[in-house]
Amino acid sequence: MTLRATKFTPEVLLSAPRRSAAVPNPSGVKAVFTINTYSFEQHKKTSQIRLLDIESGHSTLLLDDPSFSEPTWLSDDELLLLKSGDKGSTTLAVLADVSHPGGPSRYEITSFSAGVSNIKVKKLSSTSVALAFTALTTPEGELANPETEKKPYSSAKVYTSLFFRHWDSWLTANRSSIWYTALEKQDGGKYVLAGKGPVNALSGTKLSSPVAPFGGTGDFDISTSGLVFVAKDPELNPALYTKTDLYYIPLSTFLEKKPPPPQIVDTPGLEGYTNSPTFSNSGRKVAFTRMRSNQYESDKTRLLMLPDIGDLTKVQEFYATDDGEGAWDARPDSIIWSADDTVLFTTAEKSGRTLLWKLPASPADAKDLPSQVETADGSVADLHLLGGKSPRLFVATSSLVDNSCYSVVNLSEGTNDVVSSNSKQGKTFGLSKSSTGAFTFKGAGDYDVHALVMRPSSFDENKKYPLCFLIHGGPQGAWLDSWSTRWNPAIFAEQGYVVVSPNPTGSTGYGMALQDGIAGDWGGKPYNDLVNCFESIAENLPYVDTNRAVALGASYGGYMINWIQGHPLGRKFKALVCHDGVFCTLNQWSSEELFFPLHDFKGSLYENRAAYEEWDPARFANEWATPQLVIHSELDYRLPITEGLAPFNVLQSKGIPSKLLVFPDENHVRHQYHHQPPVPLPFASLHVSRDTIPIILEAVLHPL
């Protein structure tokens, strides 16, 4: 980063360079990463691909063309890239001699008349590389391109079954599919496309992968043995069930003109989401995770092992117990193998952080629970095995004060060395770890609740500060010691607030009992936990003035804001902010993912209406009295726009000071940013990107 802020403002947050995780080359000497930066002066975004020297931490520019993306190592000094072109086309290109002092050379392999993404490669021989990617595919199994396909004469949409729209899009007949091929290196040293071109691995099946809307490279993997991937069960309606299965397609050359039929991996008793399939280095084993429930999107993930890809019926579960709950009370996520395939590394949340864990790669040998591997401050975002003689990991982390940090963990020596911090551990932002803290308080039941704290960088313990009370979404989610451009506690703290971010009932990373306790009890224990948190702040944080307090939340956090409005805790705050929240729980059936209310409200609206009505914020609208900002998005199909319009109508009709902010072209709050931040506009304007929310909140909350 070249900027250095004297104060961390919304403009600094949004203009700060955003780095991707860095991916090391096979020898572990270099790493490649992308970095995006928005300029408020020029009103545009720039994008770079950079090469990091892991030993020195110094990086050099490889490309500054935003049309290039997804740099992927072919060898120690060659990168495969995607280049977006006109009318939705994509070019496959190679950047060679990336470490050459005079700069790299570039050439093109081939072009596709469609959008291509999520590339993965695997070396098959000294001259051959397997390639897989994903692309939108027509019902006939051909590459689809929405930009060039014939447009209908009518805008009408007709559907005859559930799941007709998802997240922010009305569904069409096109589906995502995985394609495979191979690249062959010629005598001149350049790669060419082998065979007659890419093959649709899922052609002739009802399967689609990656799983929308967030699926990507984590939904599939390739090896010298073939392809494994995750796909929804085609026999179950995706609106009602979360079930995704793991499939295997044996491939030896990746030039097979007709792929073998996908074979399902058998996991008896586990019927929920499947994630993170990862081949061992030998290509014979696969580690992955799976949930048990087929209607609970946040169920506990079980770490599983397929010891031999030749037998798909012999899946083994790590830490299995007779009662089916599992001995490790955590939710493993990302997975990588050690070089000799004897050790697994995985990430899992614990007490407000995403941590790195180590365990034997055989369930039979995993007699003790995983041991934690020390990493840099904050939460682990990505990890890779580093080449070399000693066992090392290249880890990307972020924290509440540092937006991107790369470090090397030496497993044999037990050391953790920071290679590069994008913000100099927060110094570039004027932030430091000393501004963060945490405390625990008694929950509504026989359990403790954890809360994170962020104080202003100019904090003086002898002064009093207003309170910013943040409520997370999910509801099965958590506030973590990690960076966010959506809800960044430091933004509020630098306006002069002390920020408290509690993780009440429903939160992840504190054991499944606390997480699962929210089902059927949305406004019960979670609300009372928040009441206890507010009281604990008043009693134990003398530098916080709870008479000057605001509360903010999004998604389920927005639900809780509306619930708080109708209950005594709502009168403790000077203002409330509800972002894409639930106004009426009965309207959960206007969502596209009906499995969510089916689980969390323990049945359907017509079979268990009382459960929906019990926790309905609209039922207590007569008690609403606190000024409120309502933020909602017109492309939010999980919580449609009426969930924002209705509470604003209530507030206005009751004469309660209130404002409505609408994003016409944005979706629900969990979406990753895909728009450039525009010029900050006056609050009265409705056409703004979600990235300007911190700016708007600054204007709204500053008077406190």
Side-chain angles (χ1 to χ4, degrees), residues 278 280 285-288 302-308 314-318 337 341 344 360-363:
T278 308
S280 62
K285 301 178 181 180
V286 180
F288 62 104
R302 319 300 175 98
L303 186 60
L304 304 177
M305 172 66 62
L306 182 60
D308 186 351
K314 295 293 193 292
V315 172
Q316 302 170 3
E317 181 178 344
F318 287 86
W337 294 76
D341 289 343
L344 288 182
S362 167

Side-chain angles (χ1 to χ4, degrees), residues 191-261:
Y191 282 98
V192 297
L193 198 64
K196 294 184 178 181
V199 176
N200 180 1
L202 309 186
S203 179
T205 74
K206 297 180 181 180
L207 303 175
S208 175
S209 185
V211 179
F214 304 113
T217 55
D219 276 4
F220 69 98
D221 199 16
I222 59 174
S223 78
T224 53
S225 300
L227 164 70
V228 289
F229 66 94
V230 172
K232 286 273 192 179
D233 186 332
E235 303 305 320
L236 295 178
N237 193 297
L240 301 174
Y241 298 96
T242 60
K243 186 171 184 277
T244 57
D245 293 302
L246 183 64
Y247 295 86
Y248 168 57
I249 297 178
L251 299 169
S252 58
T253 65
F254 281 75
L255 294 176
E256 289 84 349
K257 295 179 181 179
K258 184 177 181 180

Side-chain angles (χ1 to χ4, degrees), residues 45-297:
K45 183 178 73 173
T46 59
S47 179
Q48 296 181 345
I49 297 177
R50 301 188 68 88
L51 185 68
L52 176 75
D53 181 85
I54 293 178
E55 182 177 357
S56 68
H58 177 69
S59 72
T60 55
L61 177 66
L62 291 178
L63 284 172
D64 60 358
D65 185 340
S67 64
F68 285 93
S69 64
E70 298 196 34
T72 304
W73 291 106
L74 286 169
S75 67
D76 261 350
D77 216 31
E78 296 170 296
L79 287 166
L80 187 68
L81 304 103
L82 296 178
K83 185 179 189 296
S84 58
D86 296 333
K87 297 182 179 181
S89 64
T90 308
T91 297
L92 200 61
V94 172
L95 206 61
D97 302 318
V98 296
S99 301
H100 194 281
S105 59
R106 187 172 77 224
Y107 64 91
E108 296 179 356
I109 297 177
T110 189
S111 292
F112 307 106
S113 59
V116 167
S117 61
N118 300 316
I119 55 176
K120 278 194 172 183
V121 298
K122 180 67 177 181
K123 186 176 180 180
L124 298 176
S125 69
S126 59
T127 59
S128 179
V129 175
L131 167 66
F133 60 81
T134 69
L136 198 62
T137 306
T138 67
E140 295 73 32
E142 303 298 325
L143 288 172
N145 187 344
E147 292 193 33
T148 58
E149 66 185 12
K150 185 179 179 180
K151 301 299 186 289
Y153 293 109
S154 171
S155 60
K157 300 177 178 67
V158 179
Y159 297 89
T160 58
S161 64
L162 283 175
F163 212 65
F164 42 87
R165 66 180 191 177
H166 194 205
W167 208 252
D168 59 3
S169 302
W170 291 83
L171 298 187
T172 70
N174 296 334
R175 295 289 184 268
S176 182
S177 190
I178 302 171
W179 295 69
Y180 68 82
T181 186
L183 305 178
E184 194 75 29
K185 179 170 279 192
Q186 295 181 317
D187 292 340
K190 291 186 177 181
Y191 282 98
V192 297
L193 198 64
K196 294 184 178 181
V199 176
N200 180 1
L202 309 186
S203 179
T205 74
K206 297 180 181 180
L207 303 175
S208 175
S209 185
V211 179
F214 304 113
T217 55
D219 276 4
F220 69 98
D221 199 16
I222 59 174
S223 78
T224 53
S225 300
L227 164 70
V228 289
F229 66 94
V230 172
K232 286 273 192 179
D233 186 332
E235 303 305 320
L236 295 178
N237 193 297
L240 301 174
Y241 298 96
T242 60
K243 186 171 184 277
T244 57
D245 293 302
L246 183 64
Y247 295 86
Y248 168 57
I249 297 178
L251 299 169
S252 58
T253 65
F254 281 75
L255 294 176
E256 289 84 349
K257 295 179 181 179
K258 184 177 181 180
Q263 305 171 30
I264 195 168
V265 177
D266 191 22
T267 58
L270 302 177
E271 297 186 341
Y273 277 134
T274 303
N275 289 297
S276 306
T278 308
F279 271 112
S280 62
N281 296 290
S282 69
R284 298 304 304 170
K285 301 178 181 180
V286 180
F288 62 104
T289 67
R290 184 146 200 190
M291 298 178 182
R292 180 168 56 186
S293 170
N294 63 10
Q295 287 188 322
Y296 184 16
E297 66 174 0

Side-chain angles (χ1 to χ4, degrees), residues 352-569:
R353 292 179 64 197
T354 300
L355 302 176
L356 178 59
W357 306 88
K358 172 185 175 183
L359 66 155
S362 167
D365 296 334
K367 302 184 184 303
D368 298 323
L369 294 182
S371 57
Q372 182 186 339
V373 179
E374 291 298 327
T375 60
D377 291 337
S379 293
V380 175
D382 192 64
L383 64 153
H384 294 273
L385 191 69
L386 272 181
K389 295 181 179 179
S390 59
R392 299 179 303 158
L393 297 174
F394 189 83
V395 182
T397 57
S398 74
S399 71
L400 287 168
V401 299
D402 190 359
N403 66 348
S404 173
C405 179
Y406 305 146
S407 61
V408 172
V409 175
N410 190 311
L411 297 164
S412 59
E413 298 179 6
T415 59
N416 174 50
D417 299 315
V418 172
V419 173
S420 171
S421 168
N422 199 32
S423 63
K424 311 300 181 187
Q425 283 83 47
K427 293 179 182 178
T428 307
F429 298 137
L431 304 175
S432 70
K433 187 180 178 181
S434 62
S435 294
T436 66
F439 67 92
T440 58
F441 59 92
K442 193 70 176 176
D446 187 21
Y447 55 86
D448 291 332
V449 177
H450 184 232
L452 305 181
V453 178
M454 173 69 77
R455 297 176 289 269
S457 58
S458 59
F459 177 72
D460 182 345
E461 63 180 7
N462 297 313
K463 293 182 178 180
K464 286 272 193 177
Y465 297 87
L467 170 66
C468 177
F469 196 74
L470 297 183
I471 306 172
H472 70 68
Q476 293 85 8
W479 296 116
L480 301 176
D481 183 7
S482 63
W483 190 260
S484 173
T485 52
R486 187 192 304 145
W487 289 89
N488 191 301
I491 285 292
F492 302 102
E494 292 305 277
Q495 293 176 57
Y497 288 83
V498 167
V499 183
V500 175
S501 307
N503 284 328
T505 296
S507 299
T508 56
Y510 300 89
M512 294 305 297
L514 185 75
Q515 176 187 312
D516 293 345
I518 196 171
D521 197 27
W522 269 32
K525 290 188 293 295
Y527 170 77
N528 290 315
D529 288 345
L530 297 177
V531 171
N532 290 1
C533 182
F534 191 90
E535 293 175 352
S536 180
I537 295 168
E539 294 172 1
N540 301 304
L541 300 184
Y543 50 83
V544 176
D545 183 358
T546 52
N547 292 316
R548 294 186 296 151
V550 294
L552 309 88
S555 193
Y556 171 81
Y559 161 89
M560 184 53 71
I561 290 295
N562 290 334
W563 182 261
I564 284 172
Q565 261 284 22
H567 290 80
L569 183 58

Side-chain angles (χ1 to χ4, degrees), residues 559 562 581-589 612 615-618 643:
Y559 161 89
N562 290 334
V582 176
F583 171 69
C584 179
T585 48
L586 279 68
N587 291 340
Q588 287 285 289
W589 274 67
Y612 290 79
W615 307 117
D616 184 7
E643 292 297 276

